[in-house]
């Protein structure tokens, strides 16, 4: 089953924001990871000032809906601008569906991360479609 979730980027205050969201929606984080915990190559060291920032957090807010987020900064290659900080994240069940949706939606868009295997998923990719909407495709 395909699932759509909002993914929100913050400028260093993701943990504060998600603690607030948790106080409103209740529940528990299903994942909270920091950039210092991410596996990196020697030439991709995380700057010390970014080590404690949130790489990914997930908070279920109802049946089948999860809000997700992260911190973003210039050192991660993305200038955060309020308005471009929300991405639609699509989770799919199989790799064929991941490729179909990724290739379809990214056509004539700007691919920021090609659909590839990652340390957390069988396939993951990010792009902005031809209408300026940010998308993530994730296949676990």
């Amino acid at each position: 089953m395909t699932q759509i979730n909002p993914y929100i980027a913050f400028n260093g205050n993701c943990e504060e924001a998600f603690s607030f969201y948790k106080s409103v929606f209740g529940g528990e984080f299903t994942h909270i990871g920091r950039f210092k915990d991410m596996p990196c190559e020697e030439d991709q060291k995380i700057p010390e000032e970014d080590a404690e920032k949130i790489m990914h957090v997930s908070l279920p807010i109802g049946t089948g809906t999860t809000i997700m987020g992260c911190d973003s900064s210039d050192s991660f290659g993305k200038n955060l601008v309020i308005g471009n900080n929300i991405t639609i994240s699509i989770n799919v069940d199989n790799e064929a569906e991941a490729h179909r949706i990724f290739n379809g939606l990214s056509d004539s868009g700007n691919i920021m991360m090609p659909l590839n295997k990652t340390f957390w998923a069988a396939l993951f990719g990010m792009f902005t479609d031809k209408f300026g909407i940010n998308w993530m495709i994730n296949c676990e």
Side-chain angles (χ1 to χ4, degrees):
M1 173 172 55
T2 301
Q3 182 181 18
I4 297 176
N5 297 299
Y7 202 105
I8 310 164
F10 295 87
N11 195 12
N13 61 340
C14 180
E15 187 167 13
E16 177 185 0
F18 268 75
S19 293
F20 171 71
Y21 301 150
K22 183 178 171 184
S23 76
V24 173
F25 292 109
E28 296 297 325
F29 299 128
T30 55
H31 181 83
I32 187 163
R34 299 181 187 284
F35 281 100
K36 70 178 182 181
D37 301 323
M38 183 174 68
C40 294
E41 300 293 324
E42 277 299 315
D43 60 341
Q44 297 175 326
K45 290 287 184 190
I46 299 297
E48 192 174 314
E49 65 272 12
D50 294 331
E52 291 295 327
K53 290 183 179 177
I54 302 298
M55 180 192 73
H56 178 78
V57 60
S58 299
L59 178 65
I61 61 169
T63 305
T65 302
T66 301
I67 56 173
M68 298 180 283
C70 67
D71 280 314
S72 182
S73 73
D74 294 342
S75 61
F76 302 135
K78 183 173 182 179
N79 296 324
L80 183 83
V81 176
I82 300 301
N84 79 351
N85 62 319
I86 297 178
T87 299
I88 298 171
S89 176
I90 299 180
N91 293 333
V92 298
D93 291 331
N94 61 67
E95 293 185 16
E97 186 73 349
H99 284 286
R100 184 186 73 76
I101 292 172
F102 186 92
N103 292 339
L105 288 175
S106 67
D107 185 39
S108 299
N110 179 30
I111 296 174
M112 290 152 328
M113 184 176 178
L115 197 59
N116 276 311
K117 181 172 178 41
T118 64
F119 69 90
W120 70 85
L123 289 173
F124 177 81
M126 296 172 37
F127 58 91
T128 301
D129 71 17
K130 63 184 175 182
F131 301 104
I133 304 301
N134 297 316
W135 297 86
M136 295 176 181
I137 307 299
N138 191 66
C139 177
E140 295 180 11

